Amino acid sequence: MSSALDKYAKSSVPRYTSYPTAPHFAKDFPEAVYRGWLAQLDTDEPISLYLHVPFCKQMCWYCGCNMKLASKYGPVADYVESLINEIDLVADAMPGTMPVRHLHFGGGTPTVIEPEDLGAIMTLLRERFEFVPDAELAIESDPRTLTDEMVAKIGELGFTRASFGVQEFDPKVQAAINRIQPPEMVAHAMSRFKAAGVERINFDLIYGLPYQTAEDLRSTVEQCVEMKPDRVALFGYAHVPWVAKNQRMIPDDSLPQSDLRAEQADAAAEALVKGGYVRIGIDHFALPKDSLAIAAATGELHRNFQGYTSDAAQTLIGIGATSIGRTPSGYLQNISETGAWARAVAAGQLPVARGHALTQQDNLRAHVIERIMCDGKIDLAAAGRAFGCSDDWYAPEQDALAELQRDGAVICDQGKLTLTPDGVRLSRVVAAVFDTYLRNSSVRHSIAV
């Protein structure tokens, strides 16, 4: 590793899918404030919807998501009923029928829902919202539990994109993370979706897994490239056993250290670029004609709670337990515990638990952090002027930026900040310089590389 990577790779920093990040949202956020924000939305501006389904049929040891095992369907059916009721509550709070450009079902594993229940949810969404003609409808799935009936229903409902958590094909690594999923299973799931009319497919891969090597991951990537998914997300495994108890099944001494993690990330990225993929930001790759690659090339790439996106909507409505959303006024997160979330919905309340009203400084720093993460460069002085601040608004960050420049991570010249090749890999570290909430915070995050 370079000296900059060696110095900063173990830094504990957020992934910056929002600013401020979720740990800094206020608790007991007033439901009335959220209602007010929804009532203020512009009915001419398309919004995005995110629906969270926190159930899986199998537990993966590496998972850090808020999820429950669905050994029986009863709790899932109850959850669907509450989800449908929350959709009505949210739609009722809006000033009219809102246009929707992006819809994403995440989890957990949304395809644990029975096909007829997924159909009922989509029927209601189309009744309460107006989907624009080219709207993207995306859903996450698990090839291990995906049924032919669900694939057919997803195609029938008009979904345009499906995502698979591939992670790693090496059998030893799969056994260590409790996710047995051979390449043939993934290829078959992909072909079934294509046959059902779901044309665009995403794969997720992970480096830094137990017993994983750079050669293991390179081999996995080469097999994925042969399948030609439209996008590949390459995430570093975040080992946070103090948050995700299931990760305690992974021995600490089985995990690769920072230098080996960097080697794995480099090997995977090299194989993806060699395979014809465009590198996007810190952890995404896409075929040149994919909308994500086009957005990156035109300076229209964004970050939201799903990571890098071509979605430019200022409003993302999170529906379901623990889901996070935002409006132009601020961020919201729903109640995490499914029982408490369902009880709030049953009482006719928007089930918001935490939130944050955005200030002028928040909006400025959110813009700067997003451009660092998406473009690898930002005119700091111009950004300040755009948000009504002076050219030297970032004076408190000058010392930290100077240190990053001495370490070879950034170039600062007349108010313009540019990340070096090493700095691009340390985008989260550079972004953290502008995070005033992170200072003196005791919140623990995953390591930078």
Side-chain angles (χ1 to χ4, degrees):
M1 286 196 296
S2 70
S3 58
L5 286 171
D6 187 53
K7 179 175 179 178
Y8 296 106
K10 292 183 180 180
S11 301
S12 171
V13 285
R15 294 186 181 273
Y16 290 114
T17 54
S18 70
Y19 180 80
T21 55
H24 301 290
F25 296 173
K27 297 178 181 178
D28 301 319
F29 196 77
E31 189 231 20
V33 173
Y34 184 23
R35 284 188 179 276
W37 290 355
L38 291 177
Q40 294 168 7
L41 294 178
D42 183 347
T43 55
D44 291 329
E45 284 293 321
I47 67 170
S48 297
L49 300 174
Y50 172 77
L51 280 77
H52 189 72
V53 181
F55 293 94
C56 291
K57 290 185 178 179
Q58 299 181 33
M59 172 71 78
C60 301
W61 301 149
Y62 66 87
C63 182
C65 299
N66 179 28
M67 59 78 64
K68 295 175 176 287
L69 279 177
S71 56
K72 298 180 180 178
Y73 193 68
V76 181
D78 292 342
Y79 185 88
V80 168
E81 182 179 354
S82 295
L83 198 67
I84 284 173
N85 290 336
E86 187 185 355
I87 291 168
D88 275 329
L89 287 173
V90 168
D92 287 343
M94 292 176 172
T97 302
M98 300 295 298
V100 173
R101 191 175 299 280
H102 285 79
L103 166 70
H104 188 98
F105 277 80
T109 307
T111 49
V112 301
I113 295 176
E114 291 293 338
E116 58 268 28
D117 283 343
L118 181 62
I121 293 170
M122 288 301 300
T123 296
L124 179 61
L125 287 172
R126 291 190 181 278
E127 288 175 357
R128 300 308 309 264
F129 299 94
E130 180 184 353
F131 286 80
V132 301
D134 60 344
E136 177 165 284
L137 311 182
I139 190 166
E140 298 171 10
S141 63
D142 184 342
R144 298 172 301 170
T145 58
L146 189 64
T147 66
D148 289 339
E149 293 76 14
M150 178 55 83
V151 171
K153 177 59 71 172
I154 288 171
E156 174 191 320
L157 293 171
F159 280 83
T160 60
R161 189 180 295 274
S163 298
F164 298 154
V166 173
Q167 320 316 0
E168 168 67 83
F169 283 139
D170 181 80
K172 176 176 79 277
V173 178
Q174 287 191 352
I177 63 174
N178 199 38
R179 190 179 180 98
I180 308 302
Q181 182 177 267
E184 297 78 15
M185 180 184 291
V186 173
H188 181 56
M190 186 174 181
S191 65
R192 285 189 290 167
F193 269 125
K194 294 274 190 179
V198 183
E199 290 295 330
R200 297 188 281 279
I201 304 294
N202 297 0
F203 284 0
D204 289 348
L205 303 177
I206 299 180
Y207 66 88
L209 291 171
Y211 309 112
Q212 192 178 39
T213 69
E215 283 309 306
D216 291 337
L217 189 53
R218 186 188 295 275
S219 174
T220 291
V221 169
E222 289 171 351
Q223 293 174 79
C224 290
V225 166
E226 290 181 4
M227 299 180 202
K228 258 326 187 237
D230 298 85
R231 298 177 187 173
V232 176
L234 176 64
F235 298 122
Y237 168 57
H239 192 56
V240 288
W242 58 90
V243 176
K245 293 182 179 180
N246 50 290
Q247 292 187 355
R248 297 173 188 173
M249 300 296 295
I250 297 177
D252 289 348
D253 60 6
S254 70
L255 298 172
Q257 297 302 306
S258 293
D259 56 340
L260 296 179
R261 283 173 63 99
E263 182 184 346
Q264 292 169 10
D266 286 344
E270 180 182 318
L272 284 164
V273 171
K274 182 179 178 182
Y277 288 81
V278 176
R279 185 166 192 163
I280 298 167
I282 60 171
D283 52 21
H284 276 57
F285 299 79
L287 294 176
K289 292 185 179 179
D290 185 84
S291 60
L292 201 65
I294 294 170
T298 57
E300 297 175 323
L301 189 65
H302 294 280
R303 293 276 285 176
N304 65 18
F305 300 106
Q306 283 77 61
Y308 287 106
T309 179
S310 57
D311 180 9
Q314 289 295 302
T315 298
L316 168 65
I317 303 298
I319 300 172
T322 204
S323 63
I324 304 178
R326 69 160 291 170
T327 76
S329 300
Y331 291 105
L332 295 310
Q333 182 169 26
N334 275 355
I335 297 168
S336 295
E337 200 277 310
T338 54
W341 163 80
R343 288 191 293 274
V345 171
Q349 300 173 357
L350 295 173
V352 60
R354 301 191 301 157
H356 179 86
L358 291 165
T359 66
Q360 179 192 44
Q361 272 289 309
D362 290 338
N363 286 322
L364 167 58
R365 291 175 181 273
H367 169 74
V368 169
I369 287 171
E370 183 176 53
R371 293 343 301 163
I372 288 171
M373 297 292 295
C374 292
D375 303 334
K377 60 183 179 181
I378 179 73
D379 186 330
L380 296 170
R385 291 193 296 273
F387 286 85
C389 298
S390 62
D391 285 11
D392 64 347
W393 66 271
Y394 58 96
E397 286 75 43
Q398 289 279 26
D399 288 347
L401 292 175
E403 183 177 1
L404 284 167
Q405 179 156 293
R406 288 193 298 272
D407 293 331
V410 303
I411 298 170
C412 299
D413 183 29
Q414 297 182 340
K416 296 180 180 179
L417 177 68
T418 304
L419 277 61
T420 65
D422 282 345
V424 170
R425 295 179 59 185
L426 296 168
S427 296
R428 293 164 57 197
V429 175
V430 179
V433 169
F434 299 94
D435 185 348
T436 59
Y437 296 91
L438 189 63
R439 299 166 194 171
N440 302 316
S441 170
S442 61
V443 177
R444 299 173 71 180
H445 300 279
S446 59
I447 60 176
V449 176

